[in-house]
Structures are given as structure tokens and as C-alpha cells.
Amino acid sequence: MWPKNLPRGIWMLGFVSLFMDVSSEMIHAILPLFVVGTLGASAALLGLLEGIAEATAQVSKLFSGVLSDRWGSRKGLALLGYGLAAVVKPLFPLAGSVEQVFGARFIDRVGKGIRGAPRDALVADIAPPQLRGAAFGLRQSLDTVGAFAGPLIAILLMSVLMFDLRSVMWVACIPAFIAVAFLAFGVEEAPHCEQGEKKPGFNLRTASSLGRAFWEVTAVGAVMMLARFSEAFLVLKASDTGLSNAWAPLVMVVMSVVYSLSSYPAGVLSDRVGRAGLLVAGLLVLVAADLVLAFAHSITSMMIGVALWGLHMGLTQGGFSAMVADTAPKALRGTAFGMFNLASGLALLSGSVLAGLLWDGYGPAATFLAGGGFAILTLLGLLWVKPRQPQHEER
């Protein structure tokens, strides 16, 4: 199951994701504490902030995906997005109000949006079709190594720096610039349009050209994002069950370790046995995670729910990306990833705002039970969608 045959570019893109996630998750793991604890915001405001920030990233992916198809350059747009995310990181430790945090988070997510669709399309361009699930799984796995390394580093730094959240966020700026260097010097562009081929624009005809199978996948993915609201609520659940602020980033570590360990094997299995079965398994795991988190009253039971949440991510995230690549025309992959992420982002915004309102109005249990209900709706949607395996492509 070891990824021996994957191209070097897939590994490099994985390391780019790893270092940027170390940076982002060092900040993200302590940001709920900073916003709610230090700056005095409510959980509902946190949910709104997180939802708008993440939705901004997804909306930005639409336009960057279309441009990457039209301009024939995935790497250039990805480099712009990663570079913007790196230069904005110092704004977090400099922030003195919720509005300033929102501004920094907004710009950071615009950078994520600009890079997301071109990077995913670049993975699809580089990877052989029969290894596409493994390629997305490997990139996601390395990305998630960064996601658990970041909170671990944050925990260590908080103990060394006397719980100075701003100092931890300053250190988080360093790996972001390392990620930009990996992309600039370690990844080569892969041609994705034939010479003289008409460049696609963004219009109804292009949207129609993506095909019914793609739009079915997109609809199901959007409903899943209603179920999988912002992970900031996992950190708040940890605090609710008695985990101290110093150890709150451990929640993201546990989730991300499970996510990382499961992503690549899940991708390999999806190439061999199909995407649908793993997606069903992942959604059943999400329902279980929501039930455990809804009724968890101890740190141990809360951590079990968090681990199940991470397993769900590993089983579904790479699978949905591979399904988008499988169903979209080759010349429109950037547009397809952009469209998919636009729909997902709008759903994530709605889900995060609803989660915050339920948390403030009815408590944590209501938030996670609602998530479980949306996960069941996604399962029903998968009965309607019949994911196809990738066909052979000329390379």
C-alpha cells in the first residue's frame, strides 16, 4: 500500500500542504480561545466568523479554478494563494479586536481559496488516472500531518511561552513561508489543455458541460458540509467537558492523527473497490461521532468522538476530491473543483452559523445531533448518486 509509483510532484504538493497546515493549525487550534476567551466573543459570533471565513475560501476557489482552466496555469495561481496566506499570518498576533481577527481570517481564507482549486486540479493533472485516489489520499495525508503537528507545536510553545497566545501565533508564520518555497522550487506545471484548444470561460454553457454526474456529486458533498460544520466547535466541546485551555489544541491533534493515518489507505481502497462504499462508511462514522460528542460528559468520551470525527474525514475528503476529478471533463477540472467548493462553502457557512445558534440556544448536544441528522441526509443522497470509476486518459 506504500505509494511507490506516485510522481514526485504529488509528494511536493503534499509537503507544501504539510507546512502551510502546520502554520494554519497552530493558529486555528488556539484561535477559538483567543476570540472567545481573550477578546470576549460569543460562540454564535465565532460560528459566524468561522463560517464566513471558510465560505470565502470556497467561493474564491470557483474563480481561481475557472482562471486556471482559461489561462492554462495551475501553479501560478496556487503560488499566489499560498503567498497571500503566508504574508497575512502576522496580522493574527497583531490583532486587538474581533474585527481585526475577522479581517486577518478573511484574507487568509481568500489565499486558501485562490490556491485550492488549481492545486487540486494540478494533482489530477499529474497523477495517473488509476492512482488518482491514492494521489489525493497522499496529499491529504501529508496535509493532515501538518494539521496535527501544528497543534502539538502550539501546546509545547504555550507551556514554554507561559500561555502567550500572541507569541505562539508569531512562530506560526515561519512554516507558511517554507511552504511557499517548496511550491516555487519543487513543483512543475503539468499541461492540461492541447495546443490550440479553446479556453473555457465561466458561463451557463460551461456549467452545463460539467455534466449531470458532477452536479450529483456536488449536491451530495454540499449536504455533507452542513453536517461537518467548523472544527472550532470540537475545541469548544473540549472546554465544555473540562479540558484546560493549555491542552485544548490536543483535540485537533487527536482528530488530525486519525485523519492522516486513514486518508492514504482510504484513497488506495477507493481506487481498487470504488468510492461509494468508503463514503458510506465515512458518513456512518460521522453519525457515530456526533452521537458520542452530543452525550459526552468526560474528556475520554469526548476524545473518542473527536477520533471518530477524524476517521470520517479520512474516509470522505479524498474520496469526494477523486469523484470530482472522475466526473469532470479534463479541460474543466479547475472549474469543477471551483464549483464543488463554492457549493461546499455556502453549505459550510450555513452549517457553522446554525451550529453556533444551536450551541448558544440549546447547548452542545443540539449542535452535534443536528450534524448527525444532516449526515443521515447525505447517506440518503449517496443512494441516488452512482460514482463512476475513472476512465483511461491520454497522457
Side-chain angles (χ1 to χ4, degrees):
M1 210 175 260
W2 185 252
K4 296 178 182 178
N5 300 320
L6 290 175
R8 176 179 177 272
I10 301 297
W11 283 95
M12 291 296 102
L13 287 168
F15 285 119
V16 170
S17 295
L18 187 156
F19 280 102
M20 186 56 75
D21 245 40
V22 167
S23 175
S24 296
E25 293 303 330
M26 284 179 68
I27 293 174
H28 193 219
I30 61 176
L31 199 61
L33 306 177
F34 185 65
V35 172
V36 176
T38 303
L39 300 180
S42 66
L45 183 57
L46 175 66
L48 178 63
L49 188 156
E50 286 293 311
I52 291 176
E54 292 299 334
T56 298
Q58 311 298 359
V59 171
S60 301
K61 287 179 183 180
L62 169 61
F63 299 102
S64 64
V66 171
L67 289 176
S68 78
D69 288 335
R70 188 164 183 80
W71 293 349
S73 174
R74 316 278 198 210
K75 180 180 174 180
L77 283 166
L79 193 58
L80 174 63
Y82 278 105
L84 182 60
V87 299
V88 80
K89 286 294 193 288
L91 295 182
F92 287 100
L94 291 172
S97 67
V98 174
E99 291 79 10
Q100 290 173 350
V101 170
F102 177 82
R105 188 91 166 104
F106 182 86
I107 298 170
D108 177 69
R109 296 298 88 179
V110 168
K112 180 178 180 180
I114 291 172
R115 71 185 183 248
R119 181 206 59 211
D120 289 344
L122 188 56
V123 171
D125 290 344
I126 294 173
Q130 70 275 15
L131 296 176
R132 191 170 286 150
F136 279 106
L138 177 66
R139 192 210 64 79
Q140 192 67 65
S141 182
L142 289 172
D143 179 280
T144 314
V145 169
F148 70 74
L152 273 178
I153 295 170
I155 291 171
L156 293 174
L157 287 175
M158 281 202 294
S159 63
V160 171
L161 299 173
M162 304 296 292
F163 309 110
D164 185 343
L165 300 180
R166 293 183 190 273
S167 294
V168 175
M169 288 191 280
W170 276 116
V171 176
C173 299
I174 298 171
F177 288 97
I178 295 175
V180 174
F182 262 93
L183 177 58
F185 302 109
V187 178
E188 295 182 4
E189 185 84 61
H192 63 280
C193 288
E194 299 296 331
Q195 190 68 28
E197 185 176 340
K198 184 179 179 180
K199 305 299 184 183
F202 178 55
N203 49 48
L204 291 176
R205 184 175 181 181
T206 300
S208 177
S209 297
L210 291 170
R212 178 177 175 178
F214 163 77
W215 287 111
E216 289 176 347
V217 169
T218 298
V220 174
V223 177
M224 189 187 76
M225 296 306 289
L226 290 172
R228 214 205 71 216
F229 39 78
S230 172
E231 291 146 19
F233 290 97
L234 300 181
V235 178
L236 292 183
K237 178 64 180 181
S239 178
D240 184 69
T241 53
L243 192 66
S244 69
N245 286 353
W247 290 98
L250 188 61
V251 169
M252 301 303 291
V253 173
V254 171
M255 187 205 76
S256 299
V257 166
V258 178
Y259 185 5
S260 179
L261 291 175
S262 58
S263 289
Y264 176 69
V268 172
L269 285 174
S270 76
D271 287 332
R272 295 178 180 176
V273 303
R275 320 280 188 217
L278 287 176
L279 291 175
V280 169
L283 287 163
L284 290 173
V285 170
L286 178 57
V287 172
D290 281 320
L291 289 173
V292 172
L293 289 166
F295 300 108
H297 297 293
S298 68
I299 292 174
T300 299
S301 57
M302 178 272 298
M303 285 297 187
I304 291 172
V306 167
L308 289 171
W309 190 285
L311 179 59
H312 145 75
M313 296 280 284
L315 292 173
T316 60
Q317 288 303 98
F320 268 110
S321 294
M323 285 170 65
V324 171
D326 293 344
T327 55
K330 183 178 180 181
L332 294 176
R333 279 181 184 148
T335 303
F337 278 107
M339 286 284 196
F340 178 81
N341 287 297
L342 171 62
S344 298
L346 294 175
L348 180 61
L349 170 59
S350 302
S352 295
V353 171
L354 177 61
L357 291 173
L358 288 172
W359 189 288
D360 284 341
Y362 301 98
T367 296
F368 290 107
L369 288 174
F374 283 118
I376 292 171
L377 285 178
T378 310
L379 276 169
L380 295 176
L382 277 175
L383 298 177
W384 167 50
V385 174
K386 296 179 180 179
R388 75 184 189 192
Q389 288 297 94
Q391 303 298 313
H392 176 74
E393 297 174 7
E394 296 294 332
R395 298 194 63 82

